[in-house]
Amino acid sequence: MAEKRIGILTSGGDCAGLNAALRAVVHRAIRGYGWRVFGIRDGSLGLMNRPLDVCEFDLGAVSDMLRQGGTVLGTINKGDPFAYPQPDGTTCDRSGEFVAGYKELGLDALVVIGGDGSMRILNRLCKQGGIPMVGIPKTIDNDVAHTDYAIGYMTALTVASEALDRLAPTAASHHRVMILEVMGRDVGHIALSAGIAGGADVILIPEISYSMAGIAARIAEVRHEGRNHALVVVAEGVKTENGQPVTTLHQGGEARYGGIGQYLAERLAETVAAETRVTVLGHVQRGGMPSMQDRLIASAFGVYAVDLIAQGRTDRVVAWQHGQVTDIPLGEVAGVTRAVDPFGTLANTARGLGIYIGDHAV
Ligand code: F6P
């Protein structure tokens, strides 16, 4: 097979396991096919900048990456090349610069490690420039369509359930209700799974509506069962009882979810006679060494992605289904969000354990 030059970039929020996927791509491309691999820095920016912001990887360069958190390539989550933000607050279309950069580097294909939003933008870019692309799903939110797992989710889940392990003894010591607010954006995968794994009494997710009376009833039940403390897990995307999202403003007026835990604590104080404390787990869920599952998933995805390029099967996204890696058309993933099934195995498991997870599917 003729030598190919492939590019790889990470896009959107970082998570654990990105470097493990990069390492797998480099190993498979060099060992399996004798190709050259170019890393593109800071998502799409590396191909839009002049001079190009890229680097070539050999096997030595990736030797320590399996367990390394973050992304050595850097990433951005607000640099849509079709609407690139300008200092004066306006946006401009820089998609042509991306395509020109790809051509200048002489690439034959692109591997994009990203979530559903990044896939949508890069799918559009690659279509515009005739760029063959293979996507690798990543996001702690685990909301990429048609894959059981995206890179980063398992590590976030481990962090969140370990947080409950640490909250339980202090809750018991002080007879408190502990509320743990976890990430997940508009979906509740982290909250539901961590809540079950960490022994929560109440789990609130955006996909199921809840009432304060329902939460209070479960806490009263816990007391009746002889326990003087309780654990509540809430996904950041859960809304107030009357349907308002709870957000925090960041630099530049950017709104991000955050604060639903505190809202619940204040409301619970009115209904339950218990001291309540809130822990917001935040970006701790994205950092640190990838879990063993994430290293496995990332390695399998990286190898498979390169094989897809070798077979000429591009415009595909790799996916984990029924214990195997497979691939699906990019168009079926780009911009599609996979929510928690309110009647799926995990939701039913939680109900079966007596955990209050709300009342009605939203
Ligand atoms: O999508 C991943 C995620 O960590 C969400 O769970 C969270 O809402 C968001 O990104 C945080 O974004 P930022 O890193 O910009 O604060």
Side-chain angles (χ1 to χ4, degrees):
M1 187 179 293
E3 183 190 273
K4 280 191 195 295
R5 294 161 67 94
I6 62 170
I8 180 164
L9 62 85
T10 48
S11 180
D14 78 325
C15 61
L18 296 175
N19 294 320
L22 167 61
R23 169 183 176 269
V25 165
V26 171
H27 271 270
R28 186 62 178 153
I30 295 178
R31 289 180 191 284
Y33 302 102
W35 296 348
R36 296 177 67 182
V37 183
F38 295 86
I40 297 155
R41 292 207 181 86
D42 296 332
S44 48
L45 258 189
L47 288 182
M48 291 174 353
N49 283 342
R50 298 295 178 274
L52 298 174
D53 197 1
V54 298
C55 60
E56 182 167 1
F57 286 109
D58 57 19
L59 292 175
V62 297
S63 61
D64 289 331
M65 284 190 188
L66 181 63
R67 35 191 141 259
Q68 201 176 344
T71 164
V72 297
L73 288 173
T75 186
I76 47 169
N77 62 1
K78 36 186 152 324
D80 179 353
F82 292 99
Y84 197 79
Q86 300 298 295
D88 65 0
T90 60
T91 59
C92 76
D93 184 351
R94 294 187 61 190
S95 57
E97 292 165 65
F98 179 91
V99 176
Y102 174 88
K103 290 188 176 143
E104 187 183 326
L105 198 55
L107 296 177
D108 297 292
L110 205 55
V111 176
V112 171
I113 312 179
D116 56 328
S118 302
M119 297 283 180
R120 179 179 48 75
I121 294 167
L122 283 146
N123 182 28
R124 194 173 157 204
L125 267 178
C126 291
K127 278 212 161 71
Q128 173 175 311
I131 298 172
M133 169 183 147
V134 170
I136 296 181
K138 68 88 217 168
T139 166
I140 65 164
D141 306 336
N142 208 28
D143 58 355
V144 177
H146 304 297
T147 185
D148 295 342
Y149 302 112
I151 295 170
Y153 168 65
M154 281 298 191
T155 306
L157 187 51
T158 306
V159 172
S161 50
E162 280 178 8
L164 288 170
D165 290 346
R166 289 171 192 277
L167 288 172
T170 170
S173 306
H174 288 271
H175 317 317
R176 282 173 172 161
V177 174
M178 290 296 195
I179 300 177
L180 177 69
E181 179 180 314
V182 298
M183 281 186 165
R185 215 177 283 259
D186 296 309
V187 298
H189 294 287
I190 299 176
L192 181 57
S193 294
I196 294 172
D201 304 292
V202 174
I203 302 172
L204 304 180
I205 61 175
E207 293 87 344
I208 303 178
S209 69
Y210 67 95
S211 66
M212 294 310 297
I215 301 172
R218 177 60 195 141
I219 292 173
E221 206 174 51
V222 165
R223 284 195 182 128
H224 187 68
E225 289 162 6
R227 187 149 45 86
N228 62 2
H229 62 280
L231 296 176
V232 176
V233 181
V234 59
E236 61 177 1
V238 166
K239 300 192 169 54
T240 61
E241 256 193 314
N242 58 9
Q244 293 307 307
V246 184
T247 57
T248 307
L249 283 187
H250 292 275
Q251 206 181 350
E254 219 180 322
R256 285 278 185 271
Y257 283 129
I260 184 67
Q262 187 56 36
Y263 163 84
L264 289 175
E266 284 162 18
R267 295 295 319 277
L268 264 184
E270 296 162 11
T271 44
V272 176
E275 241 193 327
T276 302
R277 292 288 185 274
V278 181
T279 301
V280 181
L281 211 43
H283 291 78
V284 171
Q285 293 157 98
R286 294 210 324 223
M289 284 203 293
S291 68
M292 300 309 135
Q293 296 100 324
D294 265 329
R295 295 182 204 185
L296 283 174
I297 292 164
S299 300
F301 279 175
V303 167
Y304 193 98
V306 175
D307 287 343
L308 280 178
I309 295 173
Q311 293 155 19
R313 299 183 59 231
T314 51
D315 298 335
R316 316 279 303 170
V317 176
V318 304
W320 195 280
Q321 291 178 350
H322 314 297
Q324 308 238 37
V325 185
T326 184
D327 54 276
I328 40 191
L330 181 54
E332 287 183 22
V333 171
V336 182
T337 299
R338 186 179 72 92
V340 170
D341 178 355
F343 304 104
T345 299
L346 289 180
N348 287 337
T349 301
R351 288 187 193 97
L353 290 168
I355 301 169
Y356 175 71
I357 60 167
D359 306 310
H360 304 289
V362 172

